[in-house]
Amino acid sequence: MKNKQPITVQTIVNTSLEKAWDTWVTPSHIEQWNTASNEWHTPKAINNLKVGGRFVSRMEAKDGSMGFDFSGVYTKVKPRKHLAYTLDDNRKVIVNFEKNNQGVLITETFEPEQQNSIDKQRDGWQAILNNFKNYIETEQ
């Protein structure tokens, strides 16, 4: 492995902690916001939200040219505060939810994979997080 330096992305969502959490973990919502661009979508999401529970989000190009499962197992679940999980390729991810006077600060920290540049990975994960923010703020 080359670079294992974690990457962090974050955003502040103008919503309640409860709504941010529920939208993050509910499969019907995940299918709506879990995309980095308009050319992609998430036609299926499964989420067994407990330590040892598996999650799978099927991400596909809308033109059918490619797709993959984003999947792993939860290692820590503290409702409305913290998630930690290990992806199927053994990379670790931490997601924190923190209420502040502007809404909810969501911070994701993840170990990079080796196929894509650090910038491309950061931009992709940030784009998904930005899509989450847009989805939840326009759904209220």
Side-chain angles (χ1 to χ4, degrees):
M1 287 282 163
K2 296 177 200 161
N3 186 356
K4 275 294 204 180
Q5 183 67 35
I7 299 170
T8 298
V9 296
Q10 60 184 191
T11 194
I12 295 175
V13 182
N14 183 14
T15 192
S16 68
L17 192 55
E18 292 75 16
K19 185 161 184 171
W21 178 265
D22 289 344
T23 303
W24 190 271
V25 302
T26 303
S28 60
H29 285 300
I30 295 167
E31 291 169 2
Q32 300 303 309
W33 62 260
N34 190 32
T35 179
S37 73
N38 290 333
E39 294 81 30
W40 284 75
H41 67 142
T42 301
K44 179 178 158 189
I46 299 167
N47 195 20
N48 186 6
L49 187 63
K50 64 179 184 179
V51 173
R54 279 192 61 74
F55 64 88
V56 180
S57 293
R58 178 68 188 168
M59 303 174 86
E60 295 180 355
K62 287 182 179 175
D63 67 7
S65 62
M66 64 177 66
F68 63 93
D69 287 341
F70 182 83
S71 54
V73 175
Y74 289 106
T75 56
K76 189 180 280 188
V77 176
K78 289 187 176 180
R80 295 174 297 285
K81 291 185 189 278
H82 179 83
L83 290 173
Y85 56 88
T86 301
L87 294 169
D88 288 343
D89 64 5
N90 286 321
R91 292 183 297 135
K92 310 285 189 242
V93 180
I94 297 170
V95 185
N96 288 309
F97 297 77
E98 181 182 334
K99 183 76 178 145
N100 65 28
N101 59 4
Q102 297 171 298
V104 179
L105 173 64
I106 300 174
T107 304
E108 283 187 280
T109 302
F110 63 97
E111 294 177 342
E113 40 92 347
Q114 302 304 311
Q115 289 76 29
N116 296 291
S117 72
I118 297 299
D119 287 342
K120 185 173 183 178
Q121 292 178 71
R122 180 182 299 109
D123 292 350
W125 284 59
Q126 185 68 56
I128 293 169
L129 192 55
N130 292 347
N131 204 43
F132 173 81
K133 173 183 173 70
N134 182 59
Y135 172 74
I136 201 167
E137 288 180 353
T138 58
E139 288 295 306
Q140 293 192 62

